[in-house]
Amino acid sequence: MLIVMDVSGSMCSPLIDTFPPSTTTKMQIMKGSLTTLVTAWDARINFGMMLFPGSGTCGPGTITNMIAPHNATAISGRLRSIRDDLFGCPTSNPGATPTPPSLDAARDYYATIPVNPIGRYVLLATDGLPNCGAEQPDGSTAETIEETITAIEALQAEGIDTYVLGFGSGLDGAGTTLMRMATAGGTSRPYNARSAAELDAALGTIAAEAIPPSCTVMLDGATRDPALFQVRFDGGPLIPRDESHGRGWDYDASSNTITFYGAECTEIAGGSVAH
């Protein structure tokens, strides 16, 4: 999952929905919630991160952390380094939100890495609609919204689903647009959050939806000899390999995955297996 995080200047303003008013910025809240996300799901989701805008006011996002297993420590460290106070953000333009070119850059990045057969995802986390279209000197968003839909459709055409997460009140009234974006991305609905608690809940729901209990597990590292494997559930007895796929497990060297079958797959799907 590639986190595409909005670090435009508006993210360094406080939430206006709180009472009494708070000086905690949206950036501070988002950083904390994303740190919680990558830490909680580190064992099950290979995370990467892009921050946008990248260079200049409206440059496309930049990959700061390539997608990799057990990436929570590196991503959390990068998040901590982002300026998040009321006195400034990483960009000079408070409204710069170049979503379409950033999503195009995410698609270009995915083209450079192996396909994960379990799933590929973009998590777009933003506090506003795109507004960096070259043809929009007045700051209007109609053209850039259509460009965003096109960019999300291009990701979907490559088998990459996009989750759309709006944070704060800057997306009030944009429900139809967000739904179009989520539909184009192949996900069930957009997610909206107007508090830290709602943001944590939305991110947890997205992670759980992206990685449901699966009978296929991708292994880290190089392919290997399955005769050397010892496969157990939660430290229990050894589970035998069954190349006929009636039950037990089998190994596919072409994708470096183990798939469980029969009763073992039923156990996983039922949620009774932790490790």
Side-chain angles (χ1 to χ4, degrees), residues 118 214-219 224 226 229-233 239 241 248-253 255-261 268:
I118 298 174
S214 174
C215 292
T216 297
V217 179
M218 174 171 276
L219 304 182
R224 61 209 78 178
F229 289 5
Q230 290 191 346
V231 180
R232 308 171 189 267
F233 285 163
I239 300 171
R241 183 184 185 190
W249 60 272
D250 197 13
Y251 175 66
D252 179 9
S255 60
N256 201 22
T257 57
I258 287 180
T259 299
F260 294 91
Y261 301 93
I268 294 171

Side-chain angles (χ1 to χ4, degrees), residues 15-16 44 93 96-97 119 127 130 146 160 203 218 273:
L15 285 171
I16 65 172
R44 300 196 61 192
N93 186 335
T97 311
D127 73 335
E146 295 307 316
I160 304 163
L203 289 170
M218 174 171 276
V273 177

Side-chain angles (χ1 to χ4, degrees), residues 97-268:
T97 311
T99 309
S102 300
L103 293 173
D104 287 339
R107 180 167 54 87
D108 291 342
Y109 168 68
Y110 263 116
T112 68
I113 61 176
V115 173
N116 186 332
I118 298 174
R120 296 185 294 169
Y121 304 95
V122 164
L123 168 57
L124 174 63
T126 181
D127 73 335
L129 292 173
N131 60 4
C132 267
E135 300 178 13
Q136 307 303 304
D138 62 352
S140 61
T141 60
E143 181 70 17
T144 48
I145 287 171
E146 295 307 316
E147 291 172 352
T148 299
I149 299 296
T150 298
I152 293 174
E153 289 173 341
L155 283 162
Q156 179 64 17
E158 298 294 329
I160 304 163
D161 293 342
T162 300
Y163 285 98
V164 179
L165 172 61
F167 182 45
S169 58
L171 292 166
D172 286 355
T176 299
T177 297
L178 295 179
M179 180 58 75
R180 288 184 62 205
M181 292 166 62
T183 300
T187 51
S188 58
R189 61 181 178 88
Y191 294 81
N192 298 287
R194 298 185 64 153
S195 68
E198 289 181 2
L199 184 58
D200 286 338
L203 289 170
T205 299
I206 289 170
E209 183 176 318
I211 308 294
S214 174
C215 292
T216 297
V217 179
M218 174 171 276
L219 304 182
D220 296 339
T223 58
R224 61 209 78 178
D225 182 358
L228 303 177
F229 289 5
Q230 290 191 346
V231 180
R232 308 171 189 267
F233 285 163
D234 302 324
L238 284 172
I239 300 171
R241 183 184 185 190
D242 180 0
E243 295 181 74
S244 71
H245 300 171
R247 61 171 303 165
W249 60 272
D250 197 13
Y251 175 66
D252 179 9
S254 65
S255 60
N256 201 22
T257 57
I258 287 180
T259 299
F260 294 91
Y261 301 93
E264 283 73 22
C265 182
T266 299
E267 283 188 64
I268 294 171

Side-chain angles (χ1 to χ4, degrees), residues 59-71:
T62 300
I63 300 290
T64 60
N65 299 85
M66 294 187 292
I67 294 173
H70 309 297
N71 217 8

Side-chain angles (χ1 to χ4, degrees), residues 36-107:
T36 298
L37 171 75
V38 298
T39 301
W41 292 85
D42 193 37
R44 300 196 61 192
I45 299 178
N46 297 343
F47 286 104
M49 188 168 68
M50 167 189 286
L51 304 179
F52 76 104
S55 59
T57 298
C58 282
T62 300
I63 300 290
T64 60
N65 299 85
M66 294 187 292
I67 294 173
H70 309 297
N71 217 8
T73 298
I75 291 175
S76 298
R78 183 64 182 88
L79 286 168
R80 284 194 300 272
S81 73
I82 300 172
R83 187 172 180 181
D84 58 17
D85 55 54
L86 290 170
F87 302 102
C89 259
T91 62
S92 59
N93 186 335
T97 311
T99 309
S102 300
L103 293 173
D104 287 339
R107 180 167 54 87

